């Protein structure tokens, strides 16, 4: 299949696809859509940014075009690991189902239960949810899952990382055994493979690229920081980050900056804004309204730099991201693949630059082993030479300090006059002859005889 028009999609779905400007499917779409339309279970493995979302939204809308959902009984279910990804999948359904009368519900945290209950009570054809919020509604007796005909698990490896696999297994037990299951992931860990063996029925395994691979359209680089003491390394990393952004110039139209910790996300965002950059933070501790506003601002260009935790590393489809900066080397090597996958999407080129300290060198080696690629390394000195000079390593600095102290003590000992030995006569010190009350008179008052004669003569 080389064109969407050659697929057996519903005519109104095809119309929406063409109106969106797409004619040719990506490799994962070309393989998954025909199989899904035939009702077969699909296990799709493809790197992020290859169009996995449309691989299940297009056939689902076609399959659900006929029929109507009953109250509290959705006809299909899509599980997503994060609110942002769930919101994006919902937007995809709205785009491709705009000419078909299908109802859609979104169950995510940060939104009141009352609004979501009202949607469920009306009946939805497509229910998109995060695992925790879905189970909350089920346990409250507001949701019946016995009519689900199509089940989708998106970004399954992220589910594993976030600890959602027990919830996913429980949800599988609540839906009919005869459903069709579409399972998509960028990587396939052993625990994920066990899940697919248990809940998928003779699935078609589609692997359009090797697991944990990065797109060829992304230029990767790592800037190595050497010799900075631990007490100042974070400050120097922020200085380096600004230098890297400035060096990229106008080519860095917008960028995502990833940190390992939420606290670092806030610190880096605050630092960038303080220095005049258009930047905002996004992480799991922020309210849903704020996260949505921030993402919308980044999409429409009001925000140039988005500083994020790994909550934004997967599934977000913002095609025009020019750069990805890793402020921290990710602890999990797979997260590196997902982070840099935010750029170089849909055939575009992108740049991924990572800052690495001496303590993170092992993590860098693990990433290179996973992606089977040697990342180009640049020393940070060429970026920071005009602004700061790296301090010696703590061990070296301590040794230099001890050596300096010894040298000072040695020189001080040589300059100190020797004390006379017992019985040795010392050379008397010449003192001026004092006129007045004797030697006990302070020098600033006493005058020598010669000084007084000199005063009289003048």
């Amino acid at each position: 299949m080389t064109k969407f028009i050659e697929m057996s999609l519903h005519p109104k779905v095809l119309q929406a696809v063409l109106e969106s400007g797409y004619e040719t499917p990506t490799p994962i779409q070309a393989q998954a859509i025909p199989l899904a339309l035939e009702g077969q279970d699909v296990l799709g493995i493809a790197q992020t940014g290859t169009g996995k979302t449309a691989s299940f939204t297009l056939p689902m809308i076609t399959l659900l075009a006929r029929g109507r959902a009953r109250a509290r009984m959705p006809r299909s279910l899509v599980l997503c690991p994060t609110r942002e990804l769930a919101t994006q999948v919902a937007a995809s359904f709205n785009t491709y189902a705009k000419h078909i009368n299908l109802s859609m519900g979104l169950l995510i945290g940060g939104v009141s239960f009352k609004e979501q209950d009202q949607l469920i009570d009306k009946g939805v054809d497509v229910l998109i949810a995060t695992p925790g919020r879905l189970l909350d509604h089920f346990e409250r007796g507001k949701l019946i899952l016995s009519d689900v005909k199509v089940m989708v698990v998106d970004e399954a490896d992220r589910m594993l990382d976030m600890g959602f696999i027990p919830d996913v297994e429980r949800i599988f037990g609540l839906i009919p055994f005869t459903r069709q299951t579409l399972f998509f992931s960028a990587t396939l860990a052993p625990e994920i493979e066990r899940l697919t063996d248990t809940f998928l029925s003779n699935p078609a395994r589609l692997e359009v690229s090797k697991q944990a691979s990065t797109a060829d359209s992304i230029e990767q680089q790592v800037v190595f920081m050497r010799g900075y003491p631990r007490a100042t390394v974070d400050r120097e990393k922020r200085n380096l980050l600004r230098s890297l952004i400035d060096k990229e110039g106008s080519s860095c139209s917008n960028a995502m900056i990833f940190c390992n910790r939420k606290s670092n996300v806030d610190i880096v965002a605050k630092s960038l804004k303080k220095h005049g950059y258009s930047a905002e933070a996004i992480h799991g501790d922020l309210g849903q309204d704020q996260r949505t506003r921030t993402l919308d601002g980044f999409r429409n260009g009001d925000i140039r730099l988005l500083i994020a935790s790994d909550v934004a590393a997967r599934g977000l489809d913002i095609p025009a991201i020019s750069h990805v900066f890793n402020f921290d080397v990710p602890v999990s090597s797979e997260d590196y693949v997902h982070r840099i996958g935010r750029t170089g999407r849909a055939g575009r080129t992108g740049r991924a630059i990572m800052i690495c300290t001496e303590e993170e060198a092992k993590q860098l080696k693990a990433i290179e082993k996973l992606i089977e690629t040697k990342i180009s390394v640049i020393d940070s000195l060429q970026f920071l030479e005009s602004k700061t000079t790296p301090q010696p390593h703590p061990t070296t600095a301590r040794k230099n300090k001890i050596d300096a102290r010894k040298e000072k003590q040695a020189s001080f000992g040589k300059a100190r006059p020797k004390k006379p030995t017992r019985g040795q006569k010392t050379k008397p010190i010449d003192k001026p002859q004092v006129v007045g009350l004797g030697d006990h008179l302070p020098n600033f008052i006493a005058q020598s005889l010669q000084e007084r004669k000199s005063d009289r003569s003048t």
Side-chain angles (χ1 to χ4, degrees):
M1 300 289 181
T2 58
K3 299 287 184 181
F4 281 111
I5 198 171
E6 300 175 18
M7 298 180 176
S8 301
L9 294 170
H10 192 285
K12 292 185 177 180
V13 175
L14 182 59
Q15 179 185 351
V17 172
L18 298 177
E19 288 175 355
S20 299
Y22 299 111
E23 295 183 0
T24 305
T26 64
I28 187 63
Q29 293 168 357
Q31 296 183 49
I33 291 175
L35 294 171
L37 289 173
E38 294 174 2
Q40 189 170 351
D41 284 6
V42 173
L43 170 58
I45 304 170
Q47 62 193 22
T48 185
T50 54
K52 293 194 295 293
T53 302
S55 298
F56 61 82
T57 55
L58 298 182
M60 281 182 69
I61 296 170
T62 298
L63 294 171
L64 298 171
R66 294 182 180 181
R68 185 172 180 82
R70 291 176 285 179
R72 301 186 182 181
M73 300 180 68
R75 298 168 60 203
S76 64
L77 174 62
V78 181
L79 288 182
C80 303
T82 66
R83 305 174 191 177
E84 285 72 26
L85 180 56
T87 302
Q88 182 175 290
V89 172
S92 178
F93 267 102
N94 287 332
T95 298
Y96 298 129
K98 60 183 180 180
H99 301 304
I100 296 179
N101 186 23
L102 285 179
S103 58
M104 187 268 297
L106 180 63
L107 303 185
I108 58 176
V111 180
S112 70
F113 280 97
K114 183 177 180 181
E115 295 177 9
Q116 295 176 350
D117 287 342
Q118 292 173 352
L119 286 173
I120 297 172
D121 289 341
K122 293 178 182 178
V124 293
D125 297 294
V126 180
L127 186 62
I128 304 166
T130 52
R133 182 51 66 101
L134 179 76
L135 289 175
D136 287 341
H137 280 279
F138 179 82
E139 291 170 355
R140 293 168 61 243
K142 299 292 184 178
L143 192 60
I144 302 172
L145 299 175
S146 59
D147 198 33
V148 173
K149 297 177 176 61
V150 182
M151 169 79 164
V152 177
V153 178
D154 194 15
E155 297 288 354
D157 49 350
R158 182 60 173 164
M159 297 276 194
L160 175 63
D161 294 341
M162 298 179 69
F164 288 151
I165 294 302
D167 289 343
V168 173
E169 290 178 317
R170 183 182 174 193
I171 292 169
F172 267 115
L174 300 175
I175 61 178
F177 180 76
T178 55
R179 85 265 158 184
Q180 179 186 9
T181 305
L182 308 177
F183 204 96
F184 291 89
S185 181
T187 57
L188 197 63
E191 182 68 13
I192 297 296
E193 195 158 10
R194 181 193 65 79
L195 195 66
T196 59
D197 292 342
T198 303
F199 296 108
L200 272 67
S201 176
N202 193 26
R205 177 166 175 154
L206 310 177
E207 190 168 354
V208 299
S209 61
K210 64 182 181 180
Q211 295 186 40
S213 61
T214 56
D216 295 333
S217 59
I218 303 174
E219 181 183 355
Q220 302 176 58
Q221 204 170 64
V222 59
V223 182
F224 206 88
M225 298 185 68
R226 307 174 191 271
Y228 291 90
R230 185 177 299 179
T232 63
V233 69
D234 284 344
R235 183 179 70 249
E236 300 301 344
K237 284 175 72 175
R238 293 193 292 272
N239 292 339
L240 176 57
L241 175 63
R242 294 193 299 272
S243 297
L244 292 171
I245 295 171
D246 293 342
K247 180 179 179 296
E248 295 301 308
S250 59
S251 67
C252 182
S253 56
N254 60 355
M256 294 189 71
I257 302 168
F258 286 99
C259 304
N260 289 349
R261 297 184 297 274
K262 298 172 187 176
S263 58
N264 259 0
V265 172
D266 290 328
I267 292 172
V268 172
K270 184 177 179 180
S271 173
L272 287 170
K273 287 192 284 187
K274 179 181 177 181
H275 286 82
Y277 295 83
S278 172
E280 291 293 340
I282 182 170
H283 53 73
D285 286 349
L286 300 177
Q288 184 59 39
D289 290 343
Q290 184 176 352
R291 289 161 68 173
T292 301
R293 285 195 304 271
T294 300
L295 281 176
D296 289 343
F298 186 62
R299 283 192 176 98
N300 60 34
D302 293 338
I303 300 171
R304 182 190 178 202
L305 305 175
L306 183 65
I307 301 86
S309 63
D310 283 311
V311 71
R314 313 219 183 178
L316 291 185
D317 186 16
I318 306 174
I321 296 177
S322 64
H323 288 66
V324 167
F325 294 94
N326 280 292
F327 183 79
D328 298 313
V329 179
V331 177
S332 170
S333 302
E334 287 81 4
D335 284 340
Y336 175 80
V337 177
H338 293 288
R339 286 182 180 185
I340 72 169
R342 300 308 98 206
T343 187
R345 299 174 71 86
R348 296 176 175 85
T349 58
R351 275 176 59 76
I353 302 174
M354 179 163 58
I355 299 174
C356 180
T357 64
E358 291 176 304
E359 293 181 349
E360 297 171 316
K362 289 184 179 180
Q363 295 159 229
L364 173 61
K365 289 182 180 179
I367 290 171
E368 291 178 331
K369 181 179 179 181
L370 177 70
I371 64 177
E372 298 179 1
T373 302
K374 186 70 175 177
I375 305 175
S376 175
V377 177
I378 296 178
D379 198 285
S380 64
L381 283 179
Q382 63 178 286
F383 299 102
L384 291 177
E385 189 172 7
S386 60
K387 296 184 178 182
T388 183
T389 303
Q391 300 298 319
H393 191 273
T395 303
T396 305
R398 192 179 304 112
K399 183 178 182 299
N400 293 342
K401 189 174 181 181
I402 293 172
D403 292 342
R405 189 185 299 121
K406 288 180 178 179
E407 184 177 349
K408 183 178 180 181
Q409 290 174 348
S411 61
F412 182 75
K414 291 178 182 178
R416 183 180 299 172
K418 296 182 179 181
K419 292 183 179 180
T421 58
R422 181 176 297 180
Q424 181 180 356
K425 293 184 179 180
T426 59
K427 185 178 181 180
I429 300 175
D430 294 334
K431 293 184 180 180
Q433 185 179 356
V434 179
V435 177
L437 299 178
D439 292 343
H440 64 277
L441 190 67
N443 288 337
F444 68 91
I445 296 177
Q447 282 186 310
S448 68
L449 177 61
Q450 187 175 359
E451 287 173 337
R452 294 185 63 179
K453 286 180 179 181
S454 175
D455 291 342
R456 291 172 183 171
S457 63
T458 57

